[in-house]
């Protein structure tokens, strides 16, 4: 965490756009394999695959560590504070405040990711005082491009971020949204 970044609160619950974004809990562990153990998520995200309850436990522990360090916050996407339907992430990084998301296959097509990204961006602008948030995604991921545009992001004229993960090469575009 940079010396100027404030720590994240111990508890976060954000509401808006018909959603409640809340902290992950122990009670969510059994539900997360149905959300994250899917070929699309394995392909497009750094989430481990296969994703079972042990992976869920490791992810929850890592989430809590990242929050304590002031590096990242991962919140469950819900419509009522109950069952998780996906996840939205805010990460402080040298290149900027990055948002990320994943929605379980059974819950896609409802605009959950775009709405969650807009709520998390509002939190970043209003509560954290950032002036710009970014998304990093592959141009071939049509669903993520739709989320980016639907959440009010524009493609930035910056170099691609190239790398390799899970045995495949990727090139990420950077999309940005500035303080309204």
């Amino acid at each position: 965490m940079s010396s100027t970044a404030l720590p994240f609160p111990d508890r976060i619950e954000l509401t808006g756009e018909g959603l409640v974004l809340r902290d992950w809990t122990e009670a969510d562990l059994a539900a997360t394999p149905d959300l994250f153990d899917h070929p699309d998520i394995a392909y497009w995200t750094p989430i481990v695959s296969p994703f079972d309850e042990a992976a869920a436990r490791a992810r929850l522990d890592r989430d809590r560590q990242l929050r304590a360090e002031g590096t990242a916050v991962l919140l469950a996407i819900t419509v009522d504070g109950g069952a998780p339907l996906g996840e939205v992430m805010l990460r402080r990084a040298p290149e900027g405040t990055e948002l990320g998301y994943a929605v379980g296959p059974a819950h896609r097509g409802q605009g959950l990711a775009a709405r969650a990204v807009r709520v998390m961006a509002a939190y970043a602008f209003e509560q954290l005082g950032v002036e710009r948030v970014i998304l990093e995604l592959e141009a071939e991921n049509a669903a993520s491009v739709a989320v980016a545009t639907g959440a009010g992001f524009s493609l930035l004229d910056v170099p691609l971020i190239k790398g390799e993960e899970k045995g495949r090469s990727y090139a990420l575009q950077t999309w940005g949204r500035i303080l309204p």
Side-chain angles (χ1 to χ4, degrees), residues 36-175:
F36 300 134
D37 191 33
H38 189 269
D40 286 348
I41 290 176
Y43 187 82
W44 296 115
T45 76
I47 294 175
V48 299
S49 180
F51 194 90
D52 55 16
E53 282 196 52
R57 162 56 58 202
R59 188 164 176 82
L60 181 61
D61 291 345
R62 179 76 174 138
D63 168 31
R64 290 175 175 166
Q65 177 187 350
L66 292 172
R67 181 180 296 196
E69 294 170 355
T71 304
V73 171
L74 290 85
L75 300 176
I77 300 170
T78 76
V79 293
D80 58 4
L85 310 175
E87 174 175 87
V88 64
M89 178 234 16
L90 180 145
R91 180 176 72 95
R92 292 174 170 147
E95 58 275 7
T97 300
E98 178 188 1
L99 305 182
Y101 46 86
V103 173
H107 310 292
R108 294 181 184 159
Q110 303 172 48
L112 295 170
R115 290 187 286 153
V117 166
R118 286 192 298 265
V119 171
M120 188 67 99
Y123 171 75
F125 295 137
E126 296 164 13
Q127 300 300 315
L128 304 179
V130 303
E131 295 182 7
R132 182 177 80 170
V133 291
I134 60 171
L135 300 171
E136 296 173 343
L137 53 97
E138 294 181 63
E140 298 81 15
N141 187 342
S144 278
V145 170
V147 168
T149 58
F153 284 70
S154 301
L155 183 60
L156 301 178
D157 187 19
V158 298
L160 293 173
I161 302 164
K162 296 182 179 185
E164 185 172 319
E165 190 166 49
K166 298 181 185 177
R168 74 175 192 91
S169 297
Y170 63 82
L172 302 175
Q173 297 176 325
T174 302
W175 292 69

